[in-house]
Amino acid sequence: MKRVIWIILDSVGMGELPDAAAFGDKGANTIVHTWEYNGGLDIPNMLKLGYGNIEGMTVLPKTDIPSGAYGRCMELSNGKDTTVGHWEMTGIISKKAFPTFENGFPEKIIREFIDKTGIDGVLGNCVASGTEILKVHGKECADKGIPIVYTSADSVFQIAYFVGKDDNSSETDENKLNKLYMLCESARKILTGDYEVARVIARPFVIDSDKYIRTSDRRDYAILPPDYNLLNRLKEQGFDVAAVGKIHDIFAGSGITMSEHSKDNMDGIDITLDFMKKDINGVIFTNLVEFDSSYGHRRDAKGYGKGLEDFDGRLPEIFEAMTDDDILIINADHGCDPTFKGTDHTREYIPLLVYGKHIKNVPIGTRRSFADIGQTIAEYLGAEKIINGESFLREISAYENV
């Protein structure tokens, strides 16, 4: 029984793409700048896999004999966000960028949102950092029950809402949380046509000692992806697709056979290991979002480095849980350089590591598209090919017949 354990280090890019200047990201390099800021990182397991040996990787040390295959991928899609990146991995090339709203959302959209949900209004309606906007509007949101609407350089409609209990703000009131989810579902239905953002995001928060704390109950309401993606192909052909973290949300549940949300990176790894104990024939697809949400967007280079070290420290557990026919794929979906200007994603190459008992320790080079990963997975599992991407399985497999 072949399985693929596919882990996405959300936002851990490795240097500007050739067209980065068009996105305002010339000079970005998430992993290298994080390494330099911290004076190096204790990530021996990723380095042993060949992390420092990847073409174009600077600063990170190389290893003489890598234990895995290693390379990097370019992005063909027009964008640099989570949805576009994950979709491309599964074979969907997004040539048309999802709409963004640098001046906030049009009045007619906000008015329809208010009318259809029965709320008293919205706060914000601007481009903002998720933590900074809570400092401005968090108290009024909590006092009056009015949601905060904001966006970013990404194609997102984000709703922050106070979900704390009236008598103890640091505990979640399930009724308020469910109201937030209802607001997001309504917004998702409204945002169509020219306003069809990639994701509506629920951003619940509580208040603890006068600090605004975003909870782990975030939910993403993505648009439904085209049905020709890898996950749908696998499900249709009887394979399991176990989603960990926000994978279910990114694909709007499409092609998923089982799923579990995670509280943070370490919880995501725990869930992945639990899935690995089960008889799963297919893919365990995990997104570790804290690199992006807690460190990249917050421009916390120290926290970013610590997050990478913590992940690296869990890799031996994953190696130990793998069967002889398992392969482990580790890659990112975009960049979010914590030392860069602003608070948004950065247009970067993504690193790619592949490990398994029958995987050669060879360079994969620079792949033309993220979709090469999905095509390789399809070929490894013996599934029908996806329409985009070029498999590199024959380059890395030690099997005589793959």
Side-chain angles (χ1 to χ4, degrees), residues 14 53-56 69-74 349-352 362-368 372 392 395-396:
M14 57 159 291
N53 296 60
I54 298 173
E55 179 182 355
Y70 51 90
R72 64 179 181 175
C73 297
M74 300 178 68
Y349 290 98
I350 61 166
L352 171 63
V362 294
I364 307 171
T366 298
R367 310 303 304 184
R368 182 169 173 267
D372 288 10
F392 49 81
E395 299 173 37
I396 66 172

Side-chain angles (χ1 to χ4, degrees), residues 233-250:
R233 290 279 171 86
L234 293 178
K235 182 178 179 180
E236 289 166 0
Q237 294 168 65
F239 290 97
D240 299 314
V241 179
V244 181
K246 65 178 184 177
I247 294 296
H248 182 280
D249 296 347
I250 293 168

Side-chain angles (χ1 to χ4, degrees), residues 119-273:
I119 56 178
D120 293 330
V122 303
L123 303 169
N125 189 25
C126 59
V127 174
S129 157
T131 52
E132 293 302 314
I133 202 166
L134 291 182
K135 296 176 183 177
V136 177
H137 296 296
K139 186 176 188 304
E140 186 174 2
C141 174
D143 290 344
K144 299 180 180 179
I146 300 175
I148 305 168
V149 171
Y150 65 104
T151 187
S152 70
D154 293 333
S155 181
V156 291
F157 185 102
Q158 304 190 82
I159 306 175
Y161 194 67
F162 174 71
V163 297
K165 290 185 177 180
D166 294 334
D167 59 343
N168 186 344
S169 298
S170 65
E171 294 184 12
T172 297
D173 184 324
E174 292 298 325
N175 290 327
K176 293 178 181 177
L177 182 62
N178 288 331
K179 180 176 180 179
L180 170 59
Y181 294 158
M182 179 274 292
L183 292 174
C184 289
E185 290 167 2
S186 296
R188 180 71 280 173
K189 294 175 182 177
I190 292 167
L191 294 162
T192 59
D194 291 341
Y195 309 104
E196 191 174 46
V197 295
R199 288 177 294 158
V200 174
I201 305 178
R203 295 288 195 178
F205 73 93
V206 296
I207 302 173
D208 189 4
S209 301
D210 295 325
K211 293 182 179 180
Y212 301 101
I213 309 296
R214 298 201 298 188
T215 76
S216 61
D217 295 309
R218 162 185 169 160
R219 292 289 183 272
D220 292 40
Y221 297 78
I223 63 172
L224 194 68
D227 62 8
Y228 56 77
N229 68 79
L230 172 69
L231 306 190
N232 277 343
R233 290 279 171 86
L234 293 178
K235 182 178 179 180
E236 289 166 0
Q237 294 168 65
F239 290 97
D240 299 314
V241 179
V244 181
K246 65 178 184 177
I247 294 296
H248 182 280
D249 296 347
I250 293 168
F251 290 89
S254 178
I256 308 296
T257 62
M258 61 191 83
S259 68
E260 189 169 345
H261 284 93
S262 57
K263 298 177 181 178
D264 50 37
N265 283 357
M266 295 301 100
D267 186 43
I269 295 171
D270 289 340
I271 296 168
T272 301
L273 288 166

